[in-house]
Amino acid sequence: MSVNTVMDHSSVAGAAAATKTRIRWTIVVMLFVVTAINYADRAVLAIAGPVLSKDLGINAAQMGFIFSAFGWSYVIGQLPGGWLLDRFGSKWVYAASIFTWSVFTLFQGFVGFLTGAAAVTALFALRFAVGLAEAPSFPGNSRVVAAWFPGHERATASAIFNSAQYFATVIFAPLMGWLTHSFGWPWAFGFMGTLGLLVSGIWLKTVYSPVDHPKINQAEIDYIAAGGGLVNMDDAAKKKTDAAGGAKWDYIRQLFASRMMAGIFLGQFCINAITYFFITWFPVYLVQARGMSVLSAGFVASIPAICGFAGGILGGVLSDAMLRKGFSLTAARKTPIVLGMLLSMSMIACNYTDVQWIVVGFMALAFFGKGIGALGWAVMSDCAPKEITGLSGGVFNMCGNISSISTPIIIGYIIQTSGSFNGALLFVGANALIAAVSYLVVVGEIKRMELRK
């Protein structure tokens, strides 16, 4: 072991031994809350969808396009969103994002005044606006984790905020199902939009960069920095963004030219295909293919989500534990991802049973596996170039969320042409297999990417 390595380890240990605050964990709790609302606002249309489509005369193919509207703008907004984060910092850009997407969620509740083509157009436009406003959210999450957490805590922190997508279903799916059943589907949109507006104000009061937080002490800042946390990220990024100018496009080209990054991008595309099945067509599957009521579907949809939440936390904890036990970063990140994706393929077994509780069990197992394997954002916190953490997260999220466009449309056409969800489950399971193969074969060693200036 070299002298420098010994000094690095002693500095980490010394920083850890000092009395330090734990503000970083309050920051990740805020990320968890905001991400839960983020996913609930994406999913509210799925919960209200069976009643809404009947009221407004919208068929399955049209619903597929409406579901996809979010994905179109979310993908388009990733690069501008990442640039805004690097230029103006996470605090203000994220707050504006929360406020704006909540306004457009609220407006969707007024589409009930329209029918037919006008309703389809209005819903598509509003979902498009929600997607554009939410674009900075996950690059912002990754950016905050890279700034606030040392390397050996990043997978756990990323797993916490990423698991909020399952928690959102656990808490909000039954609530939105009850609101839709008891008061009508516009109330589900109204409730979620209002909640988001309130949380945007709370965000501004609680989230800062590490060096600017009023309640953090120097011991915690030193601990984060000693473990590789980018505590001065916002100040450094603004200077580099101002200086770099036209170099950004070459940086993006370098990201795609990297085999490691290309494999990570492909893996995230396939993992997100599983996500978007669960937050768009899964409640519809329970109603149309399994004969459940809207109210029952809202509650039943929470069961796989609870398993996904547990898997999401377990995947992050397992990955960081492997890292602490001496496994390489590559092994610690890849192992949960590959095992989780293989487990997600269990949803295909639903095609071979008509027993509702067995269907729910296989879906729960699949969602548990998806949760374990959803470590893409932890990987990005580990490997994104320091100069363009926000932009790298934007490119990663852009590639991953192309499946938010393709998945709802493909599943909609499979259902429309076959009259069955069987092909849809095969399609989603195949995405899980490709994600596992991408991390095993394409990605290679996981490490911080260095840009060529």
Side-chain angles (χ1 to χ4, degrees):
M1 184 178 292
S2 68
V3 174
N4 286 340
T5 303
V6 172
M7 291 177 64
D8 287 344
H9 281 292
S10 63
S11 64
V12 173
T19 302
K20 61 181 180 295
T21 52
R22 297 175 64 84
I23 300 299
R24 65 194 184 281
W25 296 108
T26 67
I27 296 296
V28 85
V29 167
M30 194 64 207
L31 291 181
F32 178 89
V33 170
V34 170
T35 303
I37 294 172
N38 180 305
Y39 267 88
D41 285 348
R42 300 183 196 193
V44 62
L45 182 62
I47 299 298
V51 177
L52 178 150
S53 59
K54 184 177 179 181
D55 287 351
L56 303 182
I58 300 173
N59 64 35
Q62 289 172 325
M63 281 300 293
F65 276 103
I66 292 169
F67 280 139
S68 77
F70 174 93
W72 289 102
S73 57
Y74 193 63
V75 169
I76 291 168
Q78 288 306 306
L79 297 187
W83 179 85
L84 287 170
L85 287 163
D86 285 338
R87 179 65 181 85
F88 298 105
S90 303
K91 180 183 178 75
W92 292 99
V93 173
Y94 212 144
S97 174
I98 300 166
F99 182 87
T100 307
W101 91 54
S102 299
V103 168
F104 288 119
T105 297
L106 188 65
F107 284 172
Q108 288 174 75
F110 296 98
V111 174
F113 293 106
L114 306 172
T115 57
V120 171
T121 302
L123 277 173
F124 187 94
L126 288 169
R127 288 281 292 179
F128 190 93
V130 170
L132 197 62
E134 285 194 9
S137 57
F138 267 74
N141 287 351
S142 180
R143 207 170 177 279
V144 170
V145 167
W148 271 95
F149 286 86
H152 62 277
E153 293 178 351
R154 276 190 201 135
T156 300
S158 297
I160 289 172
F161 80 69
N162 201 44
S163 67
Q165 63 183 280
Y166 318 112
F167 184 81
T169 303
V170 173
I171 297 299
F172 292 116
L175 176 60
M176 290 186 289
W178 174 75
L179 286 170
T180 300
H181 175 79
S182 302
F183 302 102
W185 59 265
W187 284 86
F189 291 102
F191 174 81
M192 290 309 309
T194 302
L195 181 62
L197 293 175
L198 294 174
V199 169
S200 66
I202 297 173
W203 172 274
L204 288 174
K205 293 290 186 180
T206 57
V207 176
Y208 301 82
S209 66
V211 293
D212 294 328
H213 201 288
K215 295 184 179 180
I216 197 172
N217 65 11
Q218 190 61 43
E220 184 174 12
I221 294 174
D222 292 344
Y223 171 77
I224 295 168
L230 309 179
V231 294
N232 292 303
M233 179 190 294
D234 281 348
D235 291 338
K238 287 177 185 178
K239 293 175 183 176
K240 287 173 182 175
T241 299
D242 290 337
K248 292 295 184 185
W249 289 110
D250 185 64
Y251 290 165
I252 293 171
R253 182 195 61 77
Q254 290 184 47
L255 291 176
F256 282 105
S258 164
R259 174 177 169 173
M260 175 185 70
M261 286 295 189
I264 292 168
F265 296 161
L266 175 59
Q268 190 67 5
F269 171 88
C270 295
I271 292 171
N272 271 5
I274 308 170
T275 300
Y276 278 95
F277 165 72
F278 275 104
I279 67 174
T280 57
W281 282 107
F282 181 54
V284 182
Y285 168 75
L286 294 176
V287 173
Q288 294 183 355
R290 297 301 172 179
M292 298 183 187
S293 68
V294 173
L295 183 61
S296 297
F299 281 95
V300 171
S302 69
I303 297 172
I306 292 170
C307 296
F309 175 78
I313 298 296
L314 178 62
V317 171
L318 174 63
S319 181
D320 280 344
M322 289 179 66
L323 204 57
R324 287 192 295 270
K325 287 182 179 295
F327 286 88
S328 69
L329 179 64
T330 301
R333 298 302 190 235
K334 283 187 179 184
T335 301
I337 293 172
V338 173
L339 293 179
M341 289 302 100
L342 295 177
L343 199 57
S344 289
M345 295 177 66
S346 61
M347 72 170 62
I348 297 172
C350 293
N351 289 341
Y352 304 100
T353 180
D354 292 323
V355 181
Q356 285 190 354
W357 70 266
I358 295 179
V359 169
V360 174
F362 278 127
M363 286 296 184
L365 185 63
F367 220 15
F368 178 74
K370 191 266 175 184
I372 291 175
L375 289 178
W377 284 107
V379 173
M380 281 304 295
S381 293
D382 293 322
C383 68
K386 295 179 181 180
E387 301 89 340
I388 53 166
T389 52
L391 188 62
S392 298
V395 173
F396 169 78
N397 215 25
M398 178 188 72
C399 294
N401 279 278
I402 292 173
S403 62
S404 71
I405 301 169
S406 59
T407 299
I409 293 175
I410 291 170
I411 291 177
Y413 273 104
I414 290 172
I415 298 165
Q416 188 80 1
T417 55
S418 69
S420 168
F421 273 85
N422 289 359
L425 298 189
L426 285 171
F427 167 75
V428 179
N431 275 274
L433 178 60
I434 294 170
V437 172
S438 181
Y439 270 94
L440 277 175
V441 178
V442 181
V443 171
E445 182 185 3
I446 295 174
K447 59 184 179 181
R448 180 79 62 190
M449 180 179 171
E450 298 289 338
L451 293 173
R452 297 186 302 276
K453 300 298 188 296

